[in-house]
Amino acid sequence: MTQAVSVPPAGVAARPRRLSPLDRGGRRAGWGFLAPFGVFYLLFLLGPAVVMLVVSFFNTSTVRPGLGGFAGFGNYAEMFGRADFWGAMWHTVQFTIYTTPPLVVLGFVLAVLTNRIRRGQWFFRLAFFLPFVLPSATISLIWLFIFTPGTGLWALGEQLVGLTPGPGVLASPATAMIGIALATVWWTLGFNFVLYLAGLQEIPRELYEAAAVDGASQWEQIRFITLPLLTRTTTLVILLQIIASLKIFDQVYLMTSGGPGISTQVALQLVTNTAFTDNRVGAASAASTILFVLIVAIAVIRQLTDRTKEA
């Protein structure tokens, strides 16, 4: 028997459903779970960003109390006029160019190969992801040992192929950034590998089996099945990788300290030196704001491009 449903007369607004005590308790529990993250977000993410923006318009210093004198856009004009600022921005972009393509391509290739293994996938997951859990200080020490002139593994490799070991990868302005990029690729490859592997395991194997029955080769299966179905994963990987590369600091500071000279000084290192060596927090905040705007602009452009392609 069909149950009759009461419909309010025309022109009479329906009464809002009263929440039961169980529903109200569930909402309170939800807000309770969100509260710690909300507090953390306000105190350590949103709050410092607002303070950074405000301080960038003042001559704030670590040796004087308060905000200092109002500078307007003077700090920004100074940064745009400094050659070392543009050099640091170029080194940051250079590092991003060196690391993003190999991290995306290698992560995808290794994930595809691992996904085809029926047994022992856990070993390859562990092997590729293990370096990512190590702290940056450990990674820097490992690669400083590898790049040690004369006695490091890199020098021994050069001797094995008949080359004369040079002064060291990190000692030359032409190769120092490449050495930092190599260390970073080895360190962070596992994160992209895991993202791609998770995306591959969401693709039904029946699609590959049907393609194989139709005579599709391994490359054709990757080209017409894997790549299209991993478009969203690839977009996420590229965006996260670009943002992470633009925020490079630890490896540079620990491996070269921006040297030789300032040939590997990146944007965040310039910010650190300006704030805590020159004691000019206002100018450092202006440089941080410029980098922040650049990162946000790249993220927005990437999202708009993806939406245009989907439309």
Side-chain angles (χ1 to χ4, degrees):
M1 184 174 65
T2 305
Q3 184 178 2
V5 179
S6 58
V7 180
V12 178
R15 294 181 179 179
R17 185 176 67 89
R18 297 181 61 184
L19 294 177
S20 65
L22 183 61
D23 292 334
R24 290 194 293 269
R27 287 193 173 186
R28 285 195 295 268
W31 283 110
F33 279 113
L34 288 175
F37 175 77
V39 173
F40 177 86
Y41 185 82
L42 290 175
L43 292 180
F44 298 103
L45 293 175
L46 185 60
V50 174
V51 173
M52 175 190 70
L53 180 61
V54 173
V55 170
S56 68
F57 293 101
F58 291 85
N59 291 319
T60 307
S61 174
T62 57
V63 297
R64 295 193 305 269
L67 290 175
F70 182 71
F73 290 97
N75 291 325
Y76 293 93
E78 176 191 345
M79 284 298 162
F80 284 126
R82 288 174 55 171
D84 58 344
F85 171 77
W86 290 109
M89 294 298 290
W90 163 242
H91 297 152
T92 305
V93 174
Q94 183 183 18
F95 175 82
T96 304
I97 294 173
Y98 285 166
T99 55
T100 300
L103 281 171
V104 174
V105 174
L106 289 177
F108 172 76
V109 171
L110 294 176
V112 170
L113 295 176
T114 303
N115 191 53
R116 294 179 179 274
I117 298 174
R118 296 293 183 176
R119 296 180 180 179
Q121 277 195 17
W122 65 269
F123 173 78
F124 294 96
R125 292 180 183 178
L126 178 64
F128 292 130
F129 191 73
L130 184 60
F132 185 73
V133 303
L134 297 176
S136 57
T138 303
I139 300 300
S140 300
L141 288 175
I142 291 173
W143 282 89
L144 282 174
F145 169 74
I146 292 175
F147 290 139
T148 300
T151 59
L153 295 179
W154 189 271
L156 294 178
E158 290 178 329
Q159 293 175 1
L160 289 177
V161 298
L163 299 176
T164 302
V169 175
L170 301 179
S172 173
T175 58
M177 187 61 77
I178 297 176
I180 298 172
L182 286 175
T184 304
V185 169
W186 181 80
W187 177 30
T188 59
L189 178 62
F191 181 73
N192 294 344
F193 164 79
V194 169
L195 290 179
Y196 271 122
L197 190 61
L200 285 169
Q201 293 180 347
E202 293 295 325
I203 301 176
R205 289 191 176 272
E206 291 79 5
L207 295 177
Y208 295 104
E209 294 172 357
V213 170
D214 291 337
S217 64
Q218 297 287 343
W219 165 245
E220 289 174 335
Q221 293 178 29
I222 294 175
R223 180 182 177 185
F224 296 107
I225 297 177
T226 306
L227 289 176
L229 294 180
L230 286 182
T231 300
R232 291 184 177 274
T233 302
T234 301
T235 299
L236 176 65
V237 168
I238 293 175
L239 183 59
L240 292 178
Q241 190 56 57
I242 291 176
I243 293 174
S245 296
L246 291 174
K247 296 190 298 181
I248 173 68
F249 174 76
D250 295 7
Q251 304 94 293
V252 174
Y253 183 78
L254 294 171
M255 294 178 68
T256 65
S257 296
I262 57 171
S263 60
T264 59
Q265 180 176 253
V266 292
L268 287 182
Q269 189 174 9
L270 174 70
V271 170
T272 303
N273 293 338
T274 304
F276 302 109
T277 302
D278 300 338
N279 298 318
R280 301 186 61 212
V281 180
S285 298
S288 299
T289 303
I290 295 171
L291 180 63
F292 173 75
V293 171
L294 175 63
I295 294 174
V296 171
I298 291 175
V300 170
I301 291 173
R302 183 67 188 177
Q303 293 296 326
L304 293 177
T305 302
D306 292 336
R307 290 184 180 181
T308 303
K309 290 181 180 179
E310 293 177 359

